[in-house]
Amino acid sequence: MENGTGTTPARDQGTSGGEPGRRALVIGAGIGGLTAAAGLADRGWHVTVLERSATLEPVGAAISLAPNGQRALDRVGVGDAVRDLAAWQGTGGLRAPDGRWLARTSSEEAGERYGDNLVLLHRATLIDLLRARLPEDAVRVDAAAEVVDPGAADDPRRPARVRTGTGELTADLVVAADGIGSATRRRLFPGHPGPQYAGFTTWRIMVPAPAEPFAPHETWGRGALWGSQPLHDGTVYAYAAAAVPEGGHAEDERAELLRRFGDWHHPVPALLAAAAPDGVLRHDVRHMRQPLPAYHRGRVALLGDAAHAMTPSLGQGGNQAIEDGVVLAHHLAPGTPPGPGLAAYSADRLPRTSAVVARAAKAGALTLLRPALAVRARDALVATASRLGPDLVLRSFAGITDWR
Ligand code: FAD
């Protein structure tokens, strides 16, 4: 038997050993997996991360992190680095396609209310910061992994077993952070329907900032939205969404964006003009409408999109994955049977993440409303809410949530 966290050396592994009771395997080196790995390593676990891709370059350009995600990152020692490298997004607001402001938000108010702000940074930067919290040999790439046996949490003779391309590994704890298409979720919860189409598709681009300045904004039309957010390095992250049937694909996605958004207010046309035709990412959005019954089985914990894929409508998927990783590490002391800690992790995270999934679905439906009358009513509601208290807007549509 090959060993990544266990006993005998393997030809492709960068690490081995770790005392029995302290060997953790993390499947997936995305945001959630690396956060969990950093948290577990801090607690004294011997961690090996298995990533199927050849590099850790993440898909998806940029990511916005809300105060809850930043506070969770503080626990693994990268919160301040993220704040330093990020662009602040709290000052901006919601607009209509003709440029009218429906609601304004302010950095000061967000800071006062939540202690932090919304920040935006390159996904690759976040991955690098988390990766740097781990020993050099802790992450193995080109290492697709599959849970063969989740093991028995309270029986030391039954560790979890994980198969890789080069053999089988055993571990005292497995963290399945293998994303929305999680094979581990299917293996452990075969009766669960998994993620389903949420009714809209998304596009993302990264382009140089246009000459004419603009404030960060999200703009809501009829069945379509656009967001433009500057990064600290002079680039702009822009995203769009439209309610369309599943599985659509345009030969030229930039032309498709121009057709849908080309006559929206500045900076939308300027950003589209700067986009490379092959530089547009398009993804249909799927989410898990039905929560899993638990986030663990045997010695395996599920986290992030593998456990609770949500629509990006609140920008909370990554933030919740980060919270998962930190809470999991909090509950799991090395050298003790992981059963009670895993149960506490599920009990902590299931209600919170299920509520965020449901809120994100509602926000998505509202932002992508199509009937003209309903859109007018929505826009009026948002404008009124903004006058009553910008905090309401931040809470409802910027994904800001309290977290201890
Ligand atoms: P992933 O990031 O998907 O990582 C999973 C990793 O597991 C990958 O590296 C994959 O290669 C690896 N893997 C899979 N299978 C295996 C295997 N068998 N063996 C080994 N490795 C494997 N969230 C935010 O917080 N803020 C935002 O602004 C935001 N914007 C978004 C915009 C869009 C358009 C979309 C679609 C999502 C957005 N999200 C946002 C959500 C966020 O991207 C995800 O919730 C987050 O990336 C989930 O992290 P994860 O670690 O669970 O999964």
Side-chain angles (χ1 to χ4, degrees):
M1 183 180 285
E2 182 201 332
N3 169 36
T5 57
T7 48
T8 52
R11 61 187 156 93
D12 67 341
Q13 72 185 24
T15 186
S16 65
E19 292 160 36
R22 298 177 167 263
R23 303 164 306 177
L25 275 178
V26 177
I27 303 177
I31 295 163
L34 289 175
T35 305
L40 290 168
D42 282 351
R43 292 218 62 190
W45 287 88
H46 183 275
V47 181
T48 302
V49 183
L50 303 169
E51 167 56 48
R52 73 175 167 195
S53 301
T55 68
L56 296 196
E57 269 167 40
V59 173
I63 186 158
S64 76
L65 293 175
N68 59 305
Q70 293 165 48
R71 274 201 292 283
L73 287 172
D74 284 334
R75 310 282 177 93
V76 289
V78 300
D80 283 341
V82 161
R83 293 180 189 95
D84 284 349
L85 290 167
W88 299 94
Q89 296 296 320
T91 298
L94 300 173
R95 305 180 78 168
D98 62 11
R100 266 175 307 127
W101 287 96
L102 302 173
R104 305 295 295 248
T105 56
S106 99
S107 279
E108 289 73 36
E109 272 152 18
E112 265 169 39
R113 171 71 177 80
Y114 298 101
D116 266 311
N117 224 304
L118 275 184
V119 301
L120 183 75
L121 75 165
H122 290 274
R123 281 182 185 246
T125 306
L126 178 58
I127 292 291
D128 285 349
L129 288 169
L130 289 168
R131 169 72 186 82
R133 300 294 299 173
L134 293 167
E136 191 56 41
D137 59 359
V139 180
R140 296 167 59 184
V141 294
D142 268 331
E146 182 193 353
V147 173
V148 184
D149 177 359
D154 299 317
D155 182 351
R157 289 160 307 170
R158 281 210 42 210
R161 287 167 42 226
V162 169
R163 186 184 302 135
T164 72
T166 52
E168 208 170 276
L169 314 175
T170 57
D172 303 298
L173 171 70
V174 173
V175 180
D178 47 351
I180 190 166
S182 173
T184 315
R185 180 187 57 234
R186 287 197 300 276
R187 164 84 177 75
L188 300 187
F189 300 96
H192 189 273
Q196 290 158 311
Y197 188 52
F200 62 99
T201 199
T202 56
W203 295 267
R204 285 174 279 183
I205 56 173
M206 297 284 273
V207 292
E212 194 184 327
F214 66 92
H217 66 98
E218 190 165 290
T219 297
W220 296 351
R222 291 182 55 196
L225 68 81
W226 180 281
S228 317
Q229 300 181 336
L231 283 138
H232 74 292
D233 63 356
T235 51
V236 174
Y237 168 60
Y239 56 90
V244 293
E246 186 176 11
H249 171 70
E251 200 135 292
D252 179 344
E253 294 292 356
R254 180 170 159 273
E256 179 68 11
L257 285 172
L258 273 167
R259 187 178 71 74
R260 290 177 179 274
F261 301 96
D263 61 351
W264 285 29
H265 66 81
H266 176 75
V268 181
L271 298 176
L272 282 173
D278 61 353
V280 179
L281 283 174
R282 176 172 176 170
H283 287 104
D284 280 353
V285 172
R286 292 179 298 139
H287 64 158
M288 281 166 65
R289 266 184 244 150
Q290 186 182 317
L292 289 169
Y295 289 165
H296 71 287
R297 279 280 184 271
R299 293 173 176 269
V300 181
L302 283 172
L303 63 69
D305 281 5
H308 46 67
M310 62 187 72
T311 70
S313 317
L314 297 171
Q316 274 289 323
N319 285 279
Q320 292 301 314
I322 292 166
E323 284 188 13
D324 287 344
V326 166
V327 173
L328 182 70
H330 167 77
H331 284 303
L332 286 165
T336 59
L342 287 169
Y345 164 72
S346 270
D348 241 6
R349 296 305 295 162
L350 240 169
R352 165 137 173 96
T353 51
S354 302
V356 180
V357 171
R359 257 188 64 202
K362 276 192 199 141
L366 194 69
T367 53
L368 291 166
L369 274 176
R370 191 181 269 286
L373 212 58
V375 166
R376 276 210 294 280
R378 174 198 70 191
D379 292 356
L381 184 77
V382 169
T384 308
S386 167
R387 277 194 297 277
L388 290 176
D391 181 46
L392 200 59
V393 176
L394 282 172
R395 283 190 81 83
S396 307
F397 305 112
I400 288 186
T401 67
D402 290 319
W403 189 63
R404 67 204 177 303

